[in-house]
Amino acid sequence: MSDYYEILGVSKDASPEEIKKAYRRLAQKHHPDRKGGDTQKFKEVNEAYQTLSDAEKRRMYDQYGPAFERAQSQGGFNGFEGFRDWASWAEAMKGKGSRVEYEDFDFGDLGDIFSAFSGFGRGQKQRQKQTMGRDIKIDLNISFKEAIFGTEKEISLNRYLVCEHCQGQGSEPGSKFKVCPTCQGQGQVIQTHNTILGSWQSASICPDCQGQGQVSEKKCSVCQGQGRVKKVAPLTIKIPAGIDQGETIRLRGQGEAGLSGETTGDLYVEIDINPDPHFKRKGTNLFTEKEISISQAVLGEKVEIKTIDGQVDLKIPAGTKDGQKFKLKGKGVPFLSDSSNFFTKNSGRGDQIVEIKIEIPSHLTRKQKKLFLELKEEGV
């Protein structure tokens, strides 16, 4: 079996922060929704993190190794704290003439034992988890100006949507429902497992009615009883003004539809902004540079400055130095923030910071050179 530490690429004495950082990096890399993602590796990374991020589970994993990993993968440790004592007892009994024959015992049976403790009473939650709609994550590319002022983007997504023919019920309109013959209306099926410690029972979601306890006499002719169909459909996404690189928009209920009318997942849109050759952004402020001549810096003059809204005039005072900065108030990025008043919000815009660059000519005419020599003689 794979070592959880090796899966995450961390040492056995790694701190919780190091484990969390490694998990986030690998989960993002292998996520099934990403291009080149790997479902199996994503599952392994998630399983390793679920164990190593929990102090008690990690301690047990470090102590029992493969036995813990195997039982954990089969649901054997969900809510059952007694394993530590049982395992310690079994270890102590080795070679002491006990009547318990555990040398050929399949530790996979532990999954059946512990599932019995955790399976009952959780049928509804398990059913919802298995039948609820999947979340979707996409990347959306927008221009710099669209990020500043906001926009609307229409995209097309291939996803499960609620079946319009049966309205998500999974049954042909007008047909009647009957008690599920598989689970007899219980919504779950009971299985008996024989182990070294005796017979145990575990509950699982009924595969025919998906936990509903009843089935339609006639399945929907369009979705074949699923309550959803997969198709490409357009979706308009509103991009708020001032959104920044890497920020994510959550659209509730715009993911994939669940089975038989269950909850629809959410859509997560991660924003990727094209850089602008003229503007640089830091928070709600924009930064630009403006080249001026030596004479403009010495004598002062009005110059045109490019802003995200268009051209504006900026007065350059006499004696302006290279690298000096000027603020254009309210010419930055729009923002919306909570004010001290609970019932209102403050909105506004950041500023544009203009840094002056004095252009030094590399080639001078004879007249210009003469003038500079005269200035030099004057001590300028």
Side-chain angles (χ1 to χ4, degrees):
M1 290 187 177
S2 301
D3 183 271
Y4 285 160
Y5 292 100
E6 290 182 3
I7 291 175
L8 294 181
V10 297
S11 61
K12 291 189 175 181
D13 58 354
S15 66
E17 291 75 19
E18 291 173 325
I19 291 173
K20 188 174 184 179
K21 185 177 180 181
Y23 165 71
R24 286 182 173 178
R25 176 176 57 81
L26 293 172
Q28 185 177 21
K29 177 181 178 182
H30 298 303
H31 197 285
D33 291 340
R34 293 182 66 89
K35 186 177 181 181
D38 190 314
T39 302
Q40 182 58 35
K41 288 184 178 179
F42 179 77
K43 181 179 178 182
E44 291 176 355
V45 168
N46 188 63
E47 181 180 311
Y49 178 69
Q50 292 301 320
T51 295
L52 299 185
S53 62
D54 185 290
E56 179 63 15
K57 288 183 179 180
R58 182 179 180 181
R59 189 191 68 77
M60 295 174 70
Y61 176 75
D62 290 341
Q63 183 174 355
Y64 300 113
F68 174 86
E69 182 182 350
R70 186 169 183 180
Q72 175 78 356
S73 67
Q74 298 185 26
F77 287 89
N78 291 335
F80 187 70
E81 299 296 335
F83 170 74
R84 180 172 64 250
D85 297 332
W86 185 89
S88 300
W89 170 79
E91 186 68 24
M93 293 300 294
K94 284 185 178 180
K96 293 190 177 182
S98 169
R99 292 183 180 180
V100 179
E101 298 292 336
Y102 56 84
E103 293 292 345
D104 297 326
F105 176 64
D106 184 358
F107 274 84
D109 289 340
L110 289 172
D112 297 330
I113 298 173
F114 301 132
S115 293
F117 287 91
S118 61
F120 292 105
R122 296 171 59 192
Q124 180 65 17
K125 290 183 178 180
Q126 290 177 349
R127 184 187 70 80
Q128 290 178 342
K129 186 175 181 180
Q130 292 176 9
T131 60
M132 68 184 298
R134 185 173 65 98
D135 292 338
I136 301 175
K137 180 181 177 298
I138 64 170
D139 297 324
L140 184 61
N141 184 263
I142 62 175
S143 70
F144 190 85
K145 198 166 185 178
E146 288 174 331
I148 300 298
F149 295 112
T151 186
E152 289 189 358
K153 290 285 188 179
E154 185 171 289
I155 64 171
S156 294
L157 281 179
N158 186 19
R159 54 185 170 149
Y160 280 108
L161 297 175
V162 173
C163 176
E164 296 179 355
H165 184 66
C166 67
Q167 300 299 310
Q169 298 303 307
S171 60
E172 190 68 20
S175 63
K176 296 181 179 180
F177 284 86
K178 62 180 180 180
V179 174
C180 176
T182 302
C183 66
Q184 301 300 316
Q186 298 300 311
Q188 58 184 4
V189 291
I190 308 299
Q191 291 180 306
T192 301
H193 309 274
N194 295 317
T195 72
I196 190 173
L197 300 181
S199 296
W200 303 86
Q201 290 184 326
S202 63
S204 60
I205 300 302
C206 176
D208 291 333
C209 69
Q210 296 297 322
Q212 298 286 349
Q214 57 182 0
V215 293
S216 173
E217 292 182 344
K218 187 176 182 182
K219 292 182 179 180
C220 174
S221 58
V222 176
C223 66
Q224 304 303 314
Q226 289 195 26
R228 63 182 187 176
V229 290
K230 196 164 191 176
K231 63 180 181 179
V232 177
L235 177 66
T236 300
I237 300 176
K238 292 184 178 180
I239 310 297
I243 196 164
D244 209 347
Q245 171 68 26
E247 290 187 339
T248 299
I249 301 171
R250 180 183 182 182
L251 301 178
R252 295 182 181 275
Q254 294 298 334
E256 290 196 334
L259 288 169
S260 302
E262 271 294 348
T263 306
T264 301
D266 299 330
L267 174 64
Y268 293 86
V269 183
E270 185 172 323
I271 299 299
D272 180 39
I273 304 172
N274 293 328
D276 187 275
H278 187 75
F279 298 96
K280 302 298 180 186
R281 176 179 174 178
K282 291 183 180 179
T284 59
N285 290 334
L286 296 177
F287 294 79
T288 58
E289 295 179 353
K290 177 63 179 180
E291 283 191 350
I292 62 173
S293 66
I294 296 175
S295 60
Q296 288 175 317
V298 173
L299 302 175
E301 187 176 315
K302 273 188 178 181
V303 296
E304 279 194 343
I305 301 295
K306 181 179 180 180
T307 74
I308 201 73
D309 302 292
Q311 299 287 345
V312 299
D313 289 333
L314 173 65
K315 185 178 180 180
I316 303 295
T320 294
K321 297 177 176 60
D322 185 66
Q324 192 168 338
K325 296 176 181 178
F326 296 90
K327 181 189 293 184
L328 297 177
K329 194 169 182 62
K331 293 297 182 181
V333 182
F335 64 85
L336 183 68
S337 62
D338 293 328
S339 68
S340 56
N341 189 329
F342 180 81
F343 298 100
T344 63
K345 289 187 176 182
N346 287 332
S347 61
R349 290 181 63 174
D351 305 319
Q352 180 173 332
I353 310 301
V354 181
E355 183 176 354
I356 298 299
K357 297 292 183 181
I358 299 177
E359 185 179 8
I360 306 297
S362 56
H363 300 285
L364 297 174
T365 65
R366 287 184 179 182
K367 183 178 179 180
Q368 289 170 334
K369 189 173 183 179
K370 182 181 178 182
L371 291 172
F372 272 108
L373 287 172
E374 291 176 358
L375 289 171
K376 181 180 180 182
E377 292 175 358
E378 293 292 330
V380 178

